[in-house]
Amino acid sequence: MMKIEADLHTHTVHSGHAYSTLDEMARGAFLRGIRMIAVTDHGPKMPGGPHEYYFGNLDVIPEEIYGVRILKGVEANILDDGRLDLPQELLEKLDFVTAGIHSQTGHSLNSSEEYTDAVIKAVQNPAVDMITHPVQKNYPLDLEALIKAAKKYNTILELNAGSYNKRKTFERARKENSLKLLKLAGRYRVNLAVNSDAHFHDEVGEISSLDFLFSSDYMDEKLIINKNTERVINFLSRKKQGLFTRKITG
Ligand SMILES: [Zn+2]
Ligand SMILES: [Zn+2]
């Protein structure tokens, strides 16, 4: 079992299919000893997802709730050609931008190649900090191509505990591919995050469904960026510095 200080992928009731408020999620984090959460509600194209205005107003939330640092973010939907479902200026204002492919969000991606190309375009987007659940069952991505892009563009790849959530009746990922991603990340030295993808407050920081990765010979805790909050803060300050530099140089 690995211990993490930060959980970089959580959903509140605003996602439309999650069941706790932000206050409850922060309390859930506090009770589990998690010191930082990213609140990453789904982008507007998710059925039942929040309006763009929701993301534009996240500034009203304090930096800490129950002593837990709150990163204000999104899990944007990756659409055709790697487009995302929030305007770029809005993405650039958020603390933590994640992106992933979801069904029923209006994309027409329909093969492993198309999925891989779209995800790599999202990796290249300077506002995107992390790709959610790159290991998935339906259209397995070209993981080596993805890892190389993540290395080049300094984007975090996620090992998603929710994909193996024991409460759900089916697994959304394949263990051999999660192991392959871990192995490749070690070889190319790419940042990984191990997150709950919590949709209820008692799931915050719950990553035990990934024990098969933690006990594997490929596990190198130096790769896990959310092991402690300092690593996350250092990553974000470097990444946001890049965004800032890009903006002033046009
Ligand atoms: Zn997702
Ligand atoms: Zn999610």
Side-chain angles (χ1 to χ4, degrees):
M1 179 69 188
M2 182 182 291
K3 273 199 74 68
I4 51 169
E5 286 185 357
D7 188 343
L8 300 177
H9 187 170
T10 67
H11 295 274
T12 76
V13 71
H14 296 289
S15 280
H17 59 272
Y19 306 93
S20 299
T21 63
L22 177 58
D23 190 272
E24 290 165 337
M25 297 301 277
R27 190 159 43 91
F30 170 75
L31 292 173
R32 282 181 168 261
I34 299 289
R35 296 175 53 200
M36 170 191 279
I37 59 170
V39 54
T40 52
D41 281 309
H42 287 286
K45 291 280 186 191
M46 173 63 68
H51 190 275
E52 193 180 310
Y53 283 3
Y54 166 83
F55 298 99
N57 200 35
L58 286 171
D59 286 342
V60 302
I61 298 167
E63 291 244 307
E64 288 190 359
I65 305 176
Y66 304 116
V68 176
R69 175 77 193 270
I70 310 292
L71 298 178
K72 297 151 197 176
V74 62
E75 184 179 16
N77 291 296
I78 300 176
L79 307 171
D80 294 358
D81 303 320
R83 279 184 301 107
L84 302 180
D85 60 345
L86 280 180
Q88 191 71 11
E89 302 128 64
L90 185 47
L91 292 172
E92 291 181 0
K93 285 192 187 122
L94 297 176
D95 295 333
F96 196 67
V97 174
T98 79
I101 294 182
H102 303 92
S103 59
Q104 299 177 46
T105 51
H107 70 74
S108 57
L109 305 167
N110 197 29
S111 67
S112 289
E113 290 71 30
E114 288 175 5
Y115 266 59
T116 301
D117 287 349
V119 172
I120 286 177
K121 293 253 175 56
V123 165
Q124 295 169 348
N125 185 325
V128 172
D129 299 304
M130 183 178 83
I131 298 297
T132 58
H133 42 69
V135 173
Q136 42 88 42
K137 230 172 202 172
N138 294 346
Y139 292 105
L141 304 181
D142 177 342
L143 293 178
E144 188 140 12
L146 175 64
I147 280 274
K148 285 179 181 168
K151 175 77 184 172
K152 186 168 175 196
Y153 292 93
N154 193 22
T155 305
I156 303 165
L157 299 179
E158 180 188 56
L159 296 164
N160 180 286
S163 299
Y164 300 103
N165 188 333
K166 294 175 183 90
R167 289 180 188 167
K168 293 189 178 173
T169 49
F170 65 97
E171 290 186 345
R172 290 180 296 157
R174 283 191 201 282
K175 288 186 175 174
E176 65 264 33
N177 287 343
S178 293
L179 281 161
K180 185 176 172 190
L181 183 70
L182 179 63
K183 182 179 166 187
L184 286 167
R187 190 188 301 157
Y188 289 93
R189 308 313 294 172
V190 165
N191 287 315
L192 298 174
V194 290
N195 298 315
S196 68
D197 196 359
H199 285 63
F200 194 65
H201 63 77
D202 71 346
E203 293 180 333
V204 180
E206 174 50 55
I207 53 169
S208 62
S209 66
L210 299 178
D211 280 348
F212 71 98
L213 293 172
F214 304 141
S215 60
S216 118
D217 290 343
Y218 301 126
M219 180 47 74
D220 173 355
E221 294 196 354
K222 290 196 205 74
L223 299 170
I224 309 299
I225 199 151
N226 58 325
K227 185 82 192 115
N228 61 59
T229 55
E230 287 73 24
R231 280 187 204 168
V232 176
I233 290 166
N234 287 341
F235 169 85
L236 288 176
S237 59
R238 281 203 307 274
K239 186 115 180 173
K240 304 300 174 197
Q241 185 64 34
L243 261 186
F244 182 66
T245 312
R246 195 179 61 87
K247 266 186 214 158
I248 57 172
T249 56

